[in-house]
Amino acid sequence: MPFLPATAAEDVIAQPVRAQFEAFLDEHRGALHDCLDGLTEEQARRSLVPSRTTLLGLVKHATFVERVWFDEAVTGRPRTEIGIPATPDESFILHDDDTIATVQHAYRETCAASRRATSSLGLDDVLPGNRRGPLPLRWVYLHTLRELAQHCGHADILREQLLHQ
């Protein structure tokens, strides 16, 4: 099964808004996933900014984001039960067993789980499990798209720095 559905944002211009949201989410998911392609393990882990942000850390963090919004928010399960860090900052921490292959695999699996978790929901269905309180799926899609877009921008800049050093 491929990582992303074959639908591109340009293919859904006349489609319902749900299809548009999902196409844009998947394009950003794919861009973030692919930011690690062609890099060495050292490059993927290299820190170029004072924070914990690295390319490998960005993709690992994106896995956390997906689990927060499409597991915790949908099911109401606590983060400890899901097996994710308590805070976003902790989600950038890299362990010795984190590699490009393992982090990309985890991200692909998590994105697939996110799609399954929302497949039967409508955009106005309310997700009960977020710390802010109940939120409609529409808001969650927009919030996740905003976060993925920001991280794709970060990844573009970091990757450019790494490849032109």
Side-chain angles (χ1 to χ4, degrees), residues 84-138:
I84 59 175
T87 68
D89 188 53
E90 293 173 84
S91 71
F92 285 91
I93 296 172
L94 298 175
H95 302 287
D96 290 342
D97 59 346
D98 288 326
T99 66
I100 292 170
T102 64
V103 169
Q104 282 182 319
H105 176 77
Y107 189 50
R108 285 191 305 271
E109 294 294 315
T110 300
C111 290
S114 295
R115 285 186 213 92
R116 286 190 303 274
T118 58
S119 65
S120 65
L121 300 175
L123 291 176
D124 295 323
D125 285 351
V126 174
L127 307 183
N130 186 262
R131 295 175 182 189
R132 290 174 180 86
L135 297 165
L137 179 60
R138 175 187 318 275

Side-chain angles (χ1 to χ4, degrees), residues 3-31:
F3 169 49
L4 294 172
T7 306
E10 288 74 25
D11 298 334
V12 296
I13 292 171
Q15 297 296 313
V17 71
R18 168 81 181 245
Q20 294 176 17
F21 278 145
E22 291 175 351
F24 276 84
L25 280 169
D26 282 339
E27 280 192 359
H28 284 77
R29 286 167 171 156

